[in-house]
């Protein structure tokens, strides 16, 4: 996969924020955690992800370019906290008490699980499904998994299996 181009000033801002947060964490935890690898290969509506065993942070280049400083302030500490929690506690719940503690007490950042960035530019085609209580939209990946019979999805509210809606005729 080609690495998306990020303006050098934006990459430098990412790295500056990462290094400051890591230095703060190392100081507060009396540790020497190394700087993680950063790449811009995260796709879809996910802003970033932490690859624990690789000590790597993957960032969504499109969402970074569109949201710049807000993205940096929110996503960089969030993903770094996942790496630090893994290094300190091992495998635990992704946004559990250890992660919240790392975010709030060590990195001094509010512990938010999800971002609220606009997603129109990164959202792929969606497919409409229905249960007894509401309409749902599934990504093309999930839709294809249903078509291949690999899985089924259920409504979190009513528990009914989601069924594809027939295409609307005009």
């Amino acid at each position: 996969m080609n690495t998306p181009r990020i303006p050098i000033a934006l990459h430098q801002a990412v790295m500056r924020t990462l290094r400051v947060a890591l230095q703060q964490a190392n100081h507060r935890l009396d540790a020497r955690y190394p700087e993680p690898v950063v790449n811009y290969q995260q796709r879809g509506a996910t802003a970033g992800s932490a690859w624990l065993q690789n000590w790597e942070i993957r960032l969504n280049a499109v969402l970074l370019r569109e949201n710049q400083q807000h993205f940096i302030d929110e996503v960089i500490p969030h993903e770094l906290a996942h790496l630090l929690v893994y290094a300190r506690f091992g495998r635990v719940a992704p946004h559990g008490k250890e992660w919240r503690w790392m975010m709030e007490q060590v990195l001094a950042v509010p512990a938010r699980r999800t971002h609220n960035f606009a997603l129109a530019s990164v959202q792929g085609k969606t497919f409409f499904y229905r249960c007894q209580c509401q309409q749902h939209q599934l990504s093309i990946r999930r839709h294809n998994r249903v078509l291949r019979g690999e899985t089924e999805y259920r409504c979190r509210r009513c528990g009914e299996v989601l069924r594809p809606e027939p295409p609307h005729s005009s």
Side-chain angles (χ1 to χ4, degrees), residues 63-83:
L63 293 177
L64 171 59
R65 283 192 303 262
E66 290 176 355
N67 298 281
Q68 299 199 9
Q69 196 59 50
H70 182 65
F71 182 102
I72 291 168
D73 293 342
E74 192 172 312
V75 177
I76 302 303
H78 178 115
E79 301 309 335
L80 177 61
H82 284 301
L83 295 178

Side-chain angles (χ1 to χ4, degrees), residues 76-135:
I76 302 303
H78 178 115
E79 301 309 335
L80 177 61
H82 284 301
L83 295 178
L84 295 170
V85 165
Y86 178 70
R88 187 157 180 104
F89 301 105
R91 283 215 174 269
V92 296
H95 298 106
K97 64 183 179 186
E98 299 87 353
W99 178 82
R100 286 191 310 275
W101 174 81
M102 190 68 70
M103 287 288 288
E104 294 170 351
Q105 302 302 312
V106 176
L107 298 176
V109 176
R112 286 191 204 80
R113 292 180 50 191
T114 59
H115 64 76
N116 59 357
F117 305 132
L119 300 175
S121 62
V122 293
Q123 220 157 24
K125 181 168 175 50
T126 58
F127 295 83
F128 293 102
Y129 279 66
R130 180 153 289 288
C131 65
Q132 66 185 17
C133 70
Q134 65 184 344
Q135 185 182 62

Side-chain angles (χ1 to χ4, degrees), residues 6-86:
I6 298 293
I8 189 70
L10 195 52
H11 174 69
Q12 289 172 335
V14 164
M15 296 309 294
R16 186 170 36 256
T17 298
L18 176 65
R19 289 174 180 140
V20 167
L22 181 60
Q23 182 180 23
Q24 179 177 324
N26 278 334
H27 175 74
R28 290 186 177 169
L29 298 170
D30 193 26
R32 293 184 155 228
Y33 296 117
E35 185 176 295
V37 172
V38 174
N39 73 47
Y40 300 96
Q41 296 180 345
Q42 184 67 53
R43 294 170 37 184
T46 303
S49 60
W51 290 65
L52 305 177
Q53 290 86 0
N54 298 346
W55 201 251
E56 177 181 346
I57 294 174
R58 293 185 183 177
L59 302 174
N60 187 314
V62 174
L63 293 177
L64 171 59
R65 283 192 303 262
E66 290 176 355
N67 298 281
Q68 299 199 9
Q69 196 59 50
H70 182 65
F71 182 102
I72 291 168
D73 293 342
E74 192 172 312
V75 177
I76 302 303
H78 178 115
E79 301 309 335
L80 177 61
H82 284 301
L83 295 178
L84 295 170
V85 165
Y86 178 70

